[in-house]
Amino acid sequence: DQSICGLAQFVSGGIHSEITLSAMSILCSLSMQVTRHAFDPKLISGGLVPPQIETIGEGVMVGFEVLSTLYSGGEMSFPLSKIQIASAHIIISSITAMLVGLKPVIYLHEDDAARNTSYSIRNDIIEALTTSTVVGKVIAFFSLLAHFFESHQVQIIRKGTFSSDGYSFSLSKA
C-alpha cells in the first residue's frame, strides 16, 4: 500500500531518528484532528473522509512497528535520548488520539463508508494492542517509567535496561 510505504520511508531510521520523530509528530497532529476533519463538509462531499481515516490509521500501525523496535531478546532497550523518549511518547499519543477521535465518527457520521472505515481501523488498533506482546511490553514499560520518574524524581544519567521478567531499572538518582 502506497500510504504505508510513504510513511515507512520516513521512519526507517528507527526510534532514535529526528526524521522519525518529525513524521510521527505529523501523524499525531493528524490523529488529534481526525474527528474534526471527518465532519468537515468539504471532505464529506468529496468522499475524502474514508481514505483520510485509512491513511492515518495505517500511519498508526507503522508507529506500532517503530515502538516494537525497542524490545528485543526478552528485554526492553532503555531509551537513551530525548528523541527516543519523545518518539515513543508521540507514537503512544497518536494511538490514543486515534482511538478517541474515531469513536464519534463510528457512532455519528452520516456516511456508511466513513463509519465502516473508522470501525475497521479502530479494530485493527485494538487488535494490535491486545495481541502483540512486544507492543504491550513497550507500552507497559513507558507507563511504569512515567510513574517511576514522577514518584522518585530521578534523571537518566547512564545506559540501562528494563527486564520484562525482573522489572529492574539501571538508574541513578540525580
Side-chain angles (χ1 to χ4, degrees):
D1 188 321
Q2 183 60 32
S3 58
I4 288 180
C5 295
L7 183 61
Q9 69 184 359
F10 293 108
V11 300
S12 63
I15 199 158
H16 59 275
S17 165
E18 288 183 24
I19 295 171
T20 298
L21 176 58
S22 296
M24 291 291 110
S25 295
I26 292 168
L27 174 69
C28 188
S29 178
L30 291 171
S31 296
M32 290 178 177
Q33 300 297 322
V34 74
T35 303
R36 184 169 64 138
H37 291 180
F39 290 99
D40 182 328
K42 292 177 189 170
L43 294 175
I44 293 170
S45 65
L48 299 174
V49 173
Q52 180 185 25
I53 291 171
E54 190 170 351
T55 299
I56 298 169
E58 290 167 351
V60 169
M61 300 311 284
V62 170
F64 279 121
E65 292 175 23
V66 173
L67 273 183
S68 68
T69 63
L70 285 172
Y71 189 84
S72 175
E75 287 195 344
M76 175 73 196
S77 297
F78 199 77
L80 301 175
S81 71
K82 290 179 182 180
I83 291 174
Q84 288 175 326
I85 292 169
S87 294
H89 178 265
I90 207 81
I91 292 168
I92 293 169
S93 295
S94 297
I95 295 165
T96 304
M98 192 65 171
L99 287 171
V100 169
L102 289 176
K103 186 175 181 180
V105 180
I106 292 168
Y107 291 108
L108 302 173
H109 207 282
E110 63 189 29
D111 181 19
D112 289 340
R115 283 195 317 272
N116 292 337
T117 300
S118 297
Y119 186 76
S120 176
I121 296 297
R122 186 207 60 183
N123 287 350
D124 290 346
I125 293 170
I126 290 172
E127 183 177 342
L129 288 168
T130 59
T131 61
S132 174
T133 304
V134 171
V135 170
K137 288 180 187 240
V138 170
I139 291 174
F141 169 77
F142 279 101
S143 298
L144 288 171
L145 189 65
H147 177 70
F148 181 79
F149 283 132
E150 286 175 9
S151 62
H152 292 91
Q153 297 179 344
V154 296
Q155 294 177 343
I156 303 168
I157 61 170
R158 64 184 165 92
K159 184 178 180 179
T161 60
F162 170 79
S163 169
S164 62
D165 299 326
Y167 298 100
S168 60
F169 291 91
S170 297
L171 299 172
S172 296
K173 271 205 169 190

